[in-house]
Amino acid sequence: MKVKDILKVKGSKVYTISENATLMAATAKFFSNKIGSLVVVNDLDEFVGIISPNDILKAVHEGCTENCALQRVKDVMTRNVICASEEDTIDYIQAVMTENRVRHIPIMDKKELKGLISIGDVVNAQISKRDVENKYLIDYIEGK
């Protein structure tokens, strides 16, 4: 199974936020959309990074030099983002996420953002794959 198979089911909707938005605005988007990351874009709507609640917690822990709620997304976001392609396998994505301790990976085609895959999406895809394989094996054993 490949990333494109997950995106077919999940869709390609990605929540974004401006790099100049405040951390309070980012937090509001996390809660209102019940999501765990936001793709960060610049004024030209180009992908420049990703932010998660953990990035905000890290900034708070490290002691914001100003009011944390008003600090800018660009000051705490992750810039060196691990990305994947639609042709990558689910097993590969899971290994990358586990090794790098990331929960979300943007899916890119050259410079075009195609979607965002979470660890939950990967686990759900693997469960579905396993369930289908189990059904085929049971049917084979029962002679169906």
Side-chain angles (χ1 to χ4, degrees):
M1 181 178 278
K2 294 189 177 190
V3 168
K4 65 183 174 185
D5 299 319
I6 290 178
L7 291 178
K8 281 180 193 172
V9 173
K10 176 185 181 174
S12 60
K13 180 171 180 140
V14 176
Y15 293 93
T16 63
I17 193 160
S18 167
E19 65 183 342
N20 294 311
T22 64
L23 296 185
M24 183 57 77
T27 302
K29 274 195 167 191
F30 291 135
F31 284 110
S32 66
N33 295 300
K34 298 178 181 168
I35 55 174
S37 70
L38 291 162
V39 168
V40 182
V41 295
N42 63 17
D43 293 337
L44 300 174
D45 208 31
E46 298 168 326
F47 172 76
V48 293
I50 194 167
I51 188 167
S52 71
N54 282 345
D55 294 320
I56 296 172
L57 286 173
K58 182 179 177 187
V60 170
H61 175 72
E62 292 175 350
C64 298
T65 57
E66 57 188 67
N67 183 346
C68 287
L70 300 178
Q71 196 167 4
R72 301 290 170 202
V73 166
K74 66 183 172 185
D75 298 327
V76 302
M77 72 182 193
T78 301
R79 292 181 185 278
N80 296 325
V81 180
I82 297 167
C83 296
S85 80
E86 293 178 295
E87 294 301 318
D88 288 328
T89 66
I90 301 306
D91 292 335
Y92 171 74
I93 294 295
Q94 181 183 18
V96 168
M97 289 176 144
T98 302
E99 183 177 325
N100 294 283
R101 299 182 54 109
V102 296
R103 296 180 185 165
H104 298 89
I105 294 186
I107 308 306
M108 305 292 288
D109 181 12
K110 296 183 177 93
K111 290 192 174 193
E112 181 183 356
L113 182 64
K114 298 300 239 174
L116 187 72
I117 299 294
S118 72
I119 190 67
D121 297 328
V122 171
V123 169
N124 287 336
Q126 289 179 327
I127 289 171
S128 295
K129 179 183 170 190
R130 185 202 64 214
D131 288 347
V132 168
E133 289 171 349
N134 285 345
K135 172 85 170 97
Y136 283 131
L137 287 171
I138 290 168
D139 287 351
Y140 175 75
I141 291 168
E142 292 177 351
K144 293 183 182 177

